[in-house]
Amino acid sequence: MWRNQWPDEIKLMFEDQGKCCGYLSRDDSPVGSAASCQDASIKYGCMYTVIFYAQHSHRYIYAGLVSFCLVGLACMVTSALLLIDCSEEVRLRLSQTHYWRKRAASKAADI
């Protein structure tokens, strides 16, 4: 990816911020205008800088996805509990109505 697909602007950003030159070494497709490539003491490439950047970015992406999943799971559990509570309330109301109708019918039969 470093050699063929990335434009020089992205390579330059990694080289300047990571204080490195090239990908594997300073001979591996460096951007000549990078300040770190002008320094002859830097011999290592930007491979680890790119890897650490990708890991850092993916950590936030996965944390966001997991949090969305947890919120969705909490919503499902809450709605299930709400349905259970509503069905018990309806059942209680129907049983009370049935009790009062039965009691009224028995009193009417007694009279």
Side-chain angles (χ1 to χ4, degrees):
M1 277 196 327
W2 180 271
R3 291 175 200 89
N4 301 327
Q5 294 179 358
W6 287 4
D8 286 342
E9 293 82 22
I10 294 176
K11 292 179 190 178
L12 181 65
M13 181 191 68
F14 276 113
E15 287 178 352
D16 285 341
Q17 291 179 358
K19 305 287 189 261
C20 53
C21 185
Y23 186 68
L24 296 173
S25 68
R26 62 184 303 113
D27 299 326
D28 188 13
S29 183
V31 178
S33 62
S36 57
C37 288
Q38 307 300 329
D39 187 6
S41 65
I42 296 177
K43 305 261 189 257
Y44 54 89
C46 296
M47 180 177 68
Y48 290 114
T49 306
V50 172
I51 290 171
F52 292 146
Y53 178 78
Q55 287 175 345
H56 182 72
S57 299
H58 286 142
R59 188 174 301 131
Y60 286 117
I61 291 170
Y62 290 135
L65 291 174
V66 167
S67 64
F68 280 130
C69 290
L70 290 176
V71 167
L73 181 64
C75 288
M76 287 192 303
V77 168
T78 303
S79 63
L81 291 174
L82 185 63
L83 284 173
I84 290 170
D85 188 43
C86 288
S87 66
E88 288 177 3
E89 185 179 318
V90 168
R91 186 181 47 185
L92 180 63
R93 187 178 42 205
L94 290 175
S95 65
Q96 286 175 348
T97 305
H98 179 69
Y99 170 76
W100 288 110
R101 282 184 187 163
K102 193 175 190 182
R103 187 168 174 195
S106 68
K107 281 190 178 184
D110 289 342
I111 299 180

